[in-house]
Amino acid sequence: MVIGKVVSRVISTRKYDTLQGYKLLVIEPYNGENKEWFVAADTIGAGEGELVLVSFGSAVQHALPQSAPLDAIVVGIVDQEPKF
């Protein structure tokens, strides 16, 4: 799991059928050396500028109502900025 900041939203007029209904967000990792942005699906309503918890890999499929080709999903919105 990673903490990241929502940078923007991905606008996609056409996508794989099972991705319909998922908001796609561009996330910048909050800490660590890897600052490479990635895309994560969101179903909980995270917005631009918010810190979020993102889960990766096979755990993603457990958070979905049906199987979809996703490898990252927002699973929480961080209420208070962590101190490292």
Side-chain angles (χ1 to χ4, degrees):
M1 202 175 303
V2 168
I3 295 175
K5 183 177 182 179
V6 178
V7 176
S8 66
R9 189 171 175 184
V10 176
I11 305 298
S12 175
T13 55
R14 296 187 45 93
K15 52 189 163 187
Y16 195 72
D17 285 343
T18 57
L19 292 177
Q20 297 298 327
Y22 292 104
K23 182 168 59 170
L24 300 175
L25 302 174
V26 177
I27 309 290
E28 177 183 18
Y30 180 75
N31 62 333
E33 293 180 17
N34 183 7
K35 293 296 183 183
E36 188 173 318
W37 294 3
F38 59 89
V39 175
D42 174 46
T43 59
I44 61 175
E48 205 167 311
E50 289 189 293
L51 288 178
V52 293
L53 292 172
V54 182
S55 188
F56 293 95
S58 60
V60 171
Q61 297 303 314
H62 295 287
L64 303 176
Q66 66 178 17
S67 183
L70 295 169
D71 61 359
I73 190 165
V74 174
V75 294
I77 297 173
V78 177
D79 294 324
Q80 186 174 355
E81 189 171 334
K83 303 208 186 312
F84 295 102

